[in-house]
Amino acid sequence: LLNETEKAWLAGFIDGEGSLYLYNYRTNSENSWICRLTIANTRYDVLDQIKRMVGSKSCQLRQMGKHPNPRAKIGWYLLWNGKHAAEVITQVFPYLRLKNRHAEVWLSFQKTMRPNRGGGLLDPQIVHIRKTLAAELKQLNRKGVPVDA
């Protein structure tokens, strides 16, 4: 578990450099989802520090693809999936300022996930809830200035 200073620091990093999103893919007869948290930066050392702080087994530190500008710095990102991402988001949630609504929607979606994979088709009500939450999170993640800002 993170101490309060670490929670606040990580929340600020997520507000500025993080992304909470849903990855949707098809398997056999239904759409499957993965709830993800990423933090991107060009400072490998800082991302490595975050990885060690939250527990290195729960996330992956990866290099981004090659940038078209040859003078650009190498980009890196941390990736958490599912319950591991939910653990991080839950800890930092009280300190989030810019992405607090993103986190609320994301955590609501995560609660609809089954603890084990497979198990048949989803209840239509769960499918509807997921579609509604996914649409809201997609809107929140749109680039640009929000209308109410």
Side-chain angles (χ1 to χ4, degrees):
L1 290 176
L2 302 172
N3 66 41
E4 296 306 307
T5 302
E6 292 169 333
K7 290 176 187 178
W9 181 78
L10 184 53
F13 222 94
I14 291 170
D15 270 339
E17 305 286 346
S19 179
L20 294 100
Y21 65 98
L22 306 169
Y23 176 69
N24 181 240
Y25 63 97
R26 287 198 58 81
T27 59
N28 299 333
S29 61
E30 68 177 60
N31 284 332
S32 295
W33 296 87
I34 298 175
C35 299
R36 289 187 163 165
L37 164 65
T38 60
I39 301 174
N41 202 278
T42 58
R43 293 283 307 268
Y44 178 92
D45 59 326
V46 174
L47 295 179
D48 188 53
Q49 178 184 354
I50 292 170
K51 181 179 179 181
R52 285 183 280 108
M53 188 174 71
V54 299
S56 61
K57 292 182 181 178
S58 67
C59 68
Q60 302 165 34
L61 179 53
R62 297 178 175 178
Q63 185 175 345
M64 292 182 172
K66 190 170 181 172
H67 195 279
N69 181 347
R71 294 188 309 200
K73 292 181 180 179
I74 296 172
W76 301 91
Y77 68 98
L78 285 171
L79 169 67
W80 290 265
N81 290 317
K83 70 178 183 177
H84 299 295
E87 290 167 4
V88 173
I89 294 167
T90 300
Q91 287 189 69
V92 303
F93 183 80
Y95 299 99
L96 291 172
R97 296 295 174 259
L98 301 176
K99 293 195 168 98
N100 55 341
R101 182 62 189 157
H102 298 70
E104 286 175 349
V105 172
W106 191 99
L107 287 167
S108 294
F109 192 101
Q110 176 64 24
K111 288 177 185 173
T112 72
M113 300 299 284
R114 292 185 268 213
N116 58 345
R117 297 172 192 223
L121 296 175
L122 287 174
D123 180 298
Q125 184 178 2
I126 297 294
V127 172
H128 175 74
I129 290 168
R130 284 184 178 185
K131 285 182 179 180
T132 302
L133 292 169
E136 182 176 354
L137 189 58
K138 186 175 184 176
Q139 182 65 31
L140 288 167
N141 283 333
R142 288 186 66 205
K143 294 187 190 295
V145 180
V147 176
D148 60 339

